[in-house]
Amino acid sequence: MDTLSPDEIARYKRHILLPEVGGAGQQKLKHARVLVIGAGGLGAPILQYLAAAGIGTLGIADDDRVSLSNLQRQVIHDTGTIGELKSQSAADAIARLNPHVTTLRFEERFSPETAAMQLSGFHLLIDGSDNFDTRYAAADAAEAARIPLVTGAVGRFDGSLTVLKPYESGPDGALYPAYRDLFPEKPPEGLVPACAEAGVIGALTGVIGTLMAMEAIKLITGAGEPLIGRLMLYDSLAGRFDMVKYRRRKPKA
């Protein structure tokens, strides 16, 4: 691996001081290539914290443009970027934050048709989308590519996240669960309203998005225990975190 420059050593000093990360872990972050689906409520803090952490290459997949109603939660954008493509606005913000990070922009929506092209060359996928079609497409694509997936969701005052590596086995020899072991089928149309219909508290996306960035850093550096087979739930009104364990479902006879 390339050595860290003096500027990078100074920039990431607080990481390097951590025994769980150190110089070797920071080099892993530098050489990591991470694709983030969505530059919105979840994608904003994910991209900001991964850029600040020194991820070498960040892919941004988003076909939307910045609107005024986004700014209550999508903090990577600002009033001056209204009307711009979110992928471009986010890339510009990342460049201002950390010039050592390379960004790759994908202005097509992540889907089964675009997944292989967009995922090519990336080591990790993070899904910050706001719809089930994209979530299932992300889960299928990451499993096919045999790369980890960090996925999260928010609604009104609640959020959740988990990590998926269904192509690997755990200590007991059993395969880790897949996305459909957690959510076998998409909910009926209209059952789960979008935030544009139901609303969402802006700071909630910061909480869940930052936790998703933390899971990505753990996966890349090898620090800690990722949320594999565990769904973390956050109730912002109660100020409570809960954990739900889940396993691979047995095939139907």
Side-chain angles (χ1 to χ4, degrees), residues 134-174:
T134 304
R135 290 170 191 155
Y136 280 94
D140 292 342
E143 183 172 5
R146 300 178 67 83
I147 63 172
L149 169 67
V150 181
T151 183
V154 294
R156 300 185 75 239
F157 295 96
D158 307 300
S160 64
L161 69 148
T162 191
V163 173
L164 296 160
K165 295 179 76 175
Y167 49 88
E168 287 187 2
S169 299
D172 60 357

Side-chain angles (χ1 to χ4, degrees), residues 85-135:
L85 287 164
K86 288 184 181 178
S87 60
Q88 183 64 64
S89 173
D92 291 342
I94 288 168
R96 292 190 296 270
L97 176 61
N98 190 347
H100 298 288
V101 177
T102 297
T103 54
L104 300 175
R105 296 166 46 223
F106 299 97
E107 296 169 6
E108 308 88 359
R109 180 178 290 270
F110 191 93
S111 67
E113 292 72 34
T114 64
M117 179 273 293
Q118 292 185 9
L119 262 185
S120 178
F122 285 98
H123 308 139
L124 172 65
L125 179 61
I126 306 182
D127 180 17
S129 65
D130 61 358
N131 65 88
F132 280 96
D133 286 339
T134 304
R135 290 170 191 155

Side-chain angles (χ1 to χ4, degrees), residues 219-244:
L219 286 163
I220 294 165
T221 62
E225 182 182 353
L227 288 171
I228 299 171
R230 294 182 294 155
L231 179 69
M232 179 181 284
L233 304 170
Y234 175 58
D235 179 343
S236 66
L237 293 181
R240 184 179 66 237
F241 284 94
D242 293 299
M243 197 75 70
V244 176

